[in-house]
Amino acid sequence: MIASDMLLVVAAALIDDRGRVLLQQRPPGKPMAGLWEFPGGKIEPGERPEAALARELHEELGIALDPSGLAPLAFASEPLDGRHLLLLLYTCRAWAGEPVAHHATALRWVTPAEMSGMAMPPADVPLVAALAGWRGFADAPGKA
């Protein structure tokens, strides 16, 4: 049973053919406005995490993907506004469509090394380190 104060969130590290990851900037008027984050969102009751992430990426970015193509990478656990956030990060290399910022101020393709200098929500910070150390980047196309 999930605790009633638990906020379950899924996010994606969308990785392009150059080994860059897509981040989105939180819009004005939202908590943590202006910070850069992995795209994603809340898991609805009864929804599987992978299905929730495919739905959220379609809503936020206008892209389509097969949930079976998502690979779990890491998670973060963080207190947030009187609740507890559990953030699940997946990697994804295949999707249909060009990402568009439907709910974000901006989108930016960056390397994991570039992410370390960007202002991000506290829960995303440990995920950047996990992504940077992920073996999948050693095998990414375009890597020297």
Side-chain angles (χ1 to χ4, degrees):
M1 186 71 151
I2 302 294
S4 62
D5 69 340
M6 184 75 64
L7 180 61
L8 295 174
V9 176
V10 287
L14 295 170
I15 304 166
D16 72 5
D17 59 359
R18 294 173 50 194
R20 299 175 304 168
V21 177
L22 184 70
L23 294 182
Q24 64 183 10
Q25 190 174 37
R26 294 185 62 81
K30 288 224 173 189
M32 297 182 265
L35 298 184
W36 291 91
E37 66 182 354
F38 298 102
K42 296 180 184 101
I43 300 173
E44 300 295 335
E47 196 172 33
R48 291 185 57 229
E50 296 84 358
L53 187 51
R55 175 186 51 76
E56 285 287 349
L57 294 175
H58 185 265
E59 291 172 5
E60 290 186 3
L61 303 173
I63 62 173
L65 59 92
D66 181 348
S68 68
L70 295 168
L73 177 68
F75 74 93
S77 181
E78 187 81 29
L80 180 69
D81 298 330
R83 298 180 77 185
H84 197 87
L85 170 70
L86 184 60
L87 175 58
L88 310 174
L89 181 68
Y90 290 79
T91 61
C92 180
R93 291 185 180 273
W95 60 89
E98 188 65 32
V100 175
H102 291 296
H103 300 286
T105 302
L107 299 177
R108 189 168 163 199
W109 290 98
V110 297
T111 65
E114 291 171 316
M115 284 183 217
S116 65
M118 298 176 73
M120 299 181 81
D124 288 38
V125 173
L127 300 177
V128 171
L131 188 59
W134 177 53
R135 176 159 163 59
F137 271 110
D139 301 329
K143 288 287 286 183

